[in-house]
Amino acid sequence: NGIVLDSNYSSKLYLAQKKDSVWLLSKTLSDTGYVQKSIANASFNKAKTEVYFSLCGQFSTCQIYTAKWKDGILSDFKKLPESINAEESSSTHPNLVEINNKIYLIFSSNRNGGKGGMDLWVSEYQKDWSSPKNLGKLINSPGNEVTPFFDEALNELYFSSDWHYNLGGFDVFKSKGSFPTSWSGPNNLGLPYNSSFNDLYYSQKDTLNGFITSSREGSITEKDAVCCNDIFEFNKIVEIPKIAIEDTVKADSVPNN
């Protein structure tokens, strides 16, 4: 069923580089003080000097940390305050957003006060992290909302949900709005971004290219035909507006005399 029940299992952060259209693994990012824990869900600041990530125990709750980032090396691990890491709950999937001279952290958590299981929350940094606000009932559901990503250029929030109308499992949704809690109802991205399997961790590296993780057919696995999440890269197809094509045809058909 794709669930890993191995006491030695842990996830790590990896750095890869693309060369001649091929992704090559360049190094593993790890810290000797956390070898028995899982480190995942990295989000960098714009200056690429800090990284926020999840640190999870063996099959236990997750908490959000930050670390310094220099020359591909993580150092100075610090756990975020209790306003982010509430007691007896999981806080994970951090997405750092710097917009309009403000800094926000969007993350998922099953803390008290939510709408269901894992909800999306947002905190603003003002000398310290503020008490998080729930993104509201249009975004959060009785199910689980996870892996947020905010497109600062278009003011669009992407996330995955297993409750909103979907093709199966977790699907990726998009909502437009502004911080902290003014968001439109989510729209399913549809095919080919979503499938009947789990589709998570949508992110964009620019306006036309991005990444998604999925357990859809085509994922690499040693056991089941479909098991675990793999990273997929996508390239958006830019459609030319139909009206523009029709106008061009009409212009070309007008006699020159």
Side-chain angles (χ1 to χ4, degrees):
N1 58 7
I3 298 175
V4 177
L5 294 176
D6 184 343
S7 60
N8 295 319
Y9 174 84
S10 63
S11 61
K12 299 178 182 179
L13 293 178
Y14 294 85
L15 183 66
Q17 294 180 327
K18 195 172 187 179
K19 183 177 181 180
D20 297 329
S21 300
V22 178
W23 285 99
L24 302 174
L25 181 66
S26 62
K27 66 164 58 178
T28 303
L29 307 178
S30 61
D31 185 278
T32 55
Y34 298 96
V35 292
Q36 297 300 320
K37 293 182 178 292
S38 290
I39 302 176
N41 311 310
S43 179
F44 289 85
N45 66 347
K46 284 186 176 181
K48 297 294 187 292
T49 57
E50 291 182 315
V51 59
Y52 292 75
F53 55 91
S54 304
L55 189 63
C56 309
Q58 292 288 339
F59 313 112
S60 64
T61 58
C62 300
Q63 296 176 320
I64 298 175
Y65 280 65
T66 184
K68 301 297 183 184
W69 170 265
K70 185 176 181 180
D71 299 327
I73 298 174
L74 294 174
S75 64
D76 193 18
F77 282 46
K78 291 183 179 179
K79 179 182 172 182
L80 266 59
E82 192 173 323
S83 57
I84 302 296
N85 294 306
E87 291 185 0
E88 299 182 358
S89 65
S90 270
S91 295
T92 184
H93 308 137
N95 178 226
L96 190 70
V97 178
E98 298 174 71
I99 186 170
N100 299 326
N101 296 317
K102 293 185 178 181
I103 301 175
Y104 298 96
L105 186 71
I106 313 174
F107 63 99
S108 60
S109 176
N110 60 357
R111 65 181 56 213
N112 292 332
K115 308 298 181 184
M118 299 292 287
D119 275 16
L120 297 186
W121 300 77
V122 60
S123 173
E124 182 179 357
Y125 187 81
Q126 297 175 327
K127 296 184 179 180
D128 204 346
W129 293 105
S130 66
S131 178
K133 295 182 178 180
N134 189 286
L135 264 59
K137 62 182 181 181
L138 290 180
I139 300 295
N140 293 313
S141 72
N144 297 286
E145 282 67 48
V146 295
T147 63
F149 172 80
F150 184 73
D151 184 337
E152 299 173 16
L154 298 176
N155 286 330
E156 293 177 338
L157 173 66
Y158 295 84
F159 63 94
S160 290
S161 173
D162 63 357
W163 178 268
H164 295 293
Y165 180 78
N166 60 56
L167 303 179
F170 279 93
D171 271 16
V172 180
F173 293 81
K174 177 178 70 174
S175 176
K176 293 186 72 70
S178 59
F179 290 99
T181 58
S182 178
W183 304 100
S184 65
N187 293 317
N188 189 303
L189 292 192
L191 298 171
Y193 302 101
N194 291 316
S195 67
S196 59
F197 301 96
N198 289 327
D199 305 291
L200 303 140
Y201 295 99
Y202 177 100
S203 65
Q204 293 180 192
K205 61 180 180 179
D206 53 45
T207 56
L208 295 178
N209 305 284
F211 304 93
I212 194 171
T213 70
S214 179
S215 58
R216 67 185 65 191
E217 292 185 11
S219 300
I220 298 173
T221 175
E222 295 182 354
K223 182 180 178 182
D224 302 323
V226 177
C227 166
C228 307
N229 293 323
D230 276 10
I231 301 173
F232 291 79
E233 185 177 15
F234 64 80
N235 305 105
K236 288 186 176 181
I237 299 175
V238 179
E239 296 183 2
I240 301 175
K242 185 177 180 182
I243 187 172
I245 298 174
E246 291 177 347
D247 288 346
T248 301
V249 173
K250 290 178 181 177
D252 290 342
S253 64
V254 175
N256 293 326
N257 54 4

